[in-house]
Amino acid sequence: MKLVIINYGAGNIKSIQFAFKRLGVEAILSNNPDDIRTADKVIFPGVGEANSAMKMLKVSGLDTLIPNLKQPVLGICLGMQLMCKSSEEGNTNGLGIFNVDVKRFSNVVKVPQMGWNTISDLKSPLFKGIKEDAFMYLVHSFYAEACKEQIATTNYEFNYASALQKNNFYGVQFHPEKSSVVGEQILKNFLEL
Amino acid sequence: MLTKRIIPCLDIKNGRTVKGVNFVDLRDAGDPVELAKQYAFKGADELVFLDISATLEGRKTMHDMVLKVAEHVNIPFTVGGGISSVEDVDDLLQCGADKVSINSSAIKRPELVNELANKFGSQCVVVAIDAKNINGNWIVYLAGGTIPTELNLFDWAKEVEQRGAGEILFTSMDNDGTKDGFANVALAKLSETLNIPIIASGGAGTIQHFIDTFEKGNADAALAASVFHFGEIPISELKEALKNKNIPVRQ
């Protein structure tokens, strides 16, 4: 199994690498197009600000590479958001893999949402063995709107898409690498796709 | 529904966990990595590691500890103590910390909060505030609660929120170490003033204190050390009690 975590300078990727290590898989950190293209599975992480992250992707040409990948790709947190059409954060155009826009929570609720919330209406092999209303750790100020490609729903201010899937592309708003044994199960499921 | 978080705090000195009672008189409560794993297993929602010797000693030991924690622990954790620059934060995040907590360095140079939020995102910037109620005015202290400043708790908290802090960790020095309950009146006022999450710290002694800080103090999370380290309050029992009071928790 060749597992590549795309390393484009956005955020804490060590935790993801360690989480896979706990599952017995040594992930490769790389931004090299050949490495990424030849991987069996690709993780697209991201923490930080959408616009600057998108710029970093463009510098290394990853903005055109990622949408053309054929193997399973899992976007995590900002990674998922960048796979969407656009983000209100810094008025950013995303990779457009998922046909949905990313917006900011309003000040009716505390922003960022920080902590453990439930995921429900689970609809993908990614969630094999995961119970409805399982708790996941989330930290985010922006969210993907409810949409057709949604495979998990979370409620904060309203129902939004906390996971998305289109063909070989998967995206999760929560941090499976930080969501205890349930999160590790989701990563394990991804490896088995 | 977003749940209320229970956060054990591990004070670290020379790579070992210690707990200060009113910031002095330290007692040893074990190896941080083992403790952290145990807490994750027992249902803690998050962990805070506070390097209380960071300003005096090399930060190397802390880096090693952060790496080990990130390797073995599957819940989020925050690292604080002696962090004063963008480089410090970069190092800790590279080692696998999810968030960093800054205190004195933000008071000395408030722009640091902006710099960190811009570079790493608000979600990983926790501003810790130690404050004491002096004749009805909450005064902010720096350097581990030893030096009073001219800052008012609520004004300072608002300022760091505007500068990009993602969360406030408020320790009431009047309550810390007393096991008499959290400073819920000040917490409720903070919660009303701010639109970012607030962690209550200082004063946990009983399960009822946690119930009160969520119900009366409107805290988003509650942090404690000795009641957890010495097994006085098992986390599972605490969460069961909170659930019975209809306070949302992860179980």
Side-chain angles (χ1 to χ4, degrees), chain B residues 165-188:
Chain B
E167 193 167 41
I168 299 288
L169 165 53
F170 163 50
T171 302
S172 161
M173 295 169 61
D174 297 322
N175 301 60
D176 199 53
T178 62
K179 297 199 171 185
D180 246 358
F182 295 91
N184 295 323
V185 176
L187 280 161

Side-chain angles (χ1 to χ4, degrees), chain B residues 1 16 40-41 49 56 65 97 131 142 160-161 168 170-171 178-179 190 193 198 215 228 242 248-249:
Chain B
M1 190 191 283
R16 300 277 296 173
F41 178 72
F49 295 90
L56 303 170
M65 191 213 77
L142 53 75
V160 296
E161 176 186 43
I168 299 288
F170 163 50
T171 302
T178 62
K179 297 199 171 185
L190 264 184
T193 315
I198 294 153
E215 285 186 342
F228 296 137
L242 292 170
V249 286

Side-chain angles (χ1 to χ4, degrees), chain B residues 1-237:
Chain B
M1 190 191 283
L2 181 66
T3 55
K4 301 288 187 181
R5 287 169 284 153
I6 299 298
I7 308 178
C9 176
L10 292 79
D11 286 358
I12 306 295
K13 194 177 185 184
N14 303 327
R16 300 277 296 173
T17 316
V18 287
K19 167 60 190 167
V21 177
N22 272 335
F23 294 112
V24 285
D25 200 41
L26 303 172
R27 286 198 287 173
D28 196 333
D31 168 31
V33 179
E34 279 311 305
L35 249 180
K37 272 166 77 174
Q38 224 181 76
Y39 278 131
F41 178 72
K42 287 183 172 164
D45 296 307
E46 231 178 278
L47 297 165
V48 169
F49 295 90
L50 197 57
D51 190 358
I52 54 170
S53 54
T55 44
L56 303 170
E57 295 163 19
R59 213 163 283 120
K60 191 85 178 73
T61 21
M62 201 57 183
H63 283 177
D64 292 345
M65 191 213 77
V66 171
L67 263 174
K68 275 187 208 144
V69 172
E71 187 171 353
H72 296 288
V73 178
N74 57 13
I75 58 170
F77 67 98
T78 302
V79 178
I83 298 167
S84 56
S85 69
V86 171
E87 292 73 39
D88 290 345
V89 173
D90 199 23
D91 286 347
L92 290 166
L93 296 179
Q94 295 283 344
C95 289
D98 298 289
K99 303 186 246 182
V100 294
S101 152
I102 55 171
N103 189 336
S104 302
S105 55
I107 298 171
K108 289 177 191 152
R109 205 172 65 80
E111 298 76 28
L112 179 62
V113 181
N114 305 68
E115 291 166 14
L116 296 178
N118 290 338
K119 174 128 202 238
F120 307 107
S122 292
Q123 80 291 329
C124 67
V125 184
V126 183
V127 174
I129 306 178
D130 299 331
K132 204 178 207 170
N133 187 345
I134 312 265
N135 304 321
N137 189 11
W138 281 91
I139 300 292
V140 175
Y141 278 64
L142 53 75
T146 53
I147 305 168
T149 68
E150 312 228 302
L151 295 167
N152 165 279
L153 164 67
F154 306 102
D155 298 339
W156 175 234
K158 191 74 202 165
E159 180 178 339
V160 296
E161 176 186 43
Q162 283 162 351
R163 288 180 180 275
E167 193 167 41
I168 299 288
L169 165 53
F170 163 50
T171 302
S172 161
M173 295 169 61
D174 297 322
N175 301 60
D176 199 53
T178 62
K179 297 199 171 185
D180 246 358
F182 295 91
N184 295 323
V185 176
L187 280 161
K189 194 173 164 190
L190 264 184
S191 203
E192 214 170 276
T193 315
L194 306 181
N195 200 50
I196 54 176
I198 294 153
I199 306 171
S201 159
T206 66
I207 285 178
Q208 187 61 42
H209 293 154
F210 287 88
I211 295 170
D212 289 344
T213 204
F214 292 129
E215 285 186 342
K216 297 177 187 161
N218 292 328
D220 298 285
L223 176 144
S226 58
V227 290
F228 296 137
H229 299 333
F230 298 102
E232 291 160 32
I233 300 180
I235 290 173
S236 57
E237 225 171 88

Side-chain angles (χ1 to χ4, degrees), chain A residues 15-31:
Chain A
S15 308
I16 301 175
Q17 195 180 20
F18 280 140
F20 281 111
K21 198 176 166 191
R22 290 194 292 274
L23 295 170
V25 176
E26 288 291 340
I28 301 161
L29 306 181
S30 176
N31 68 348

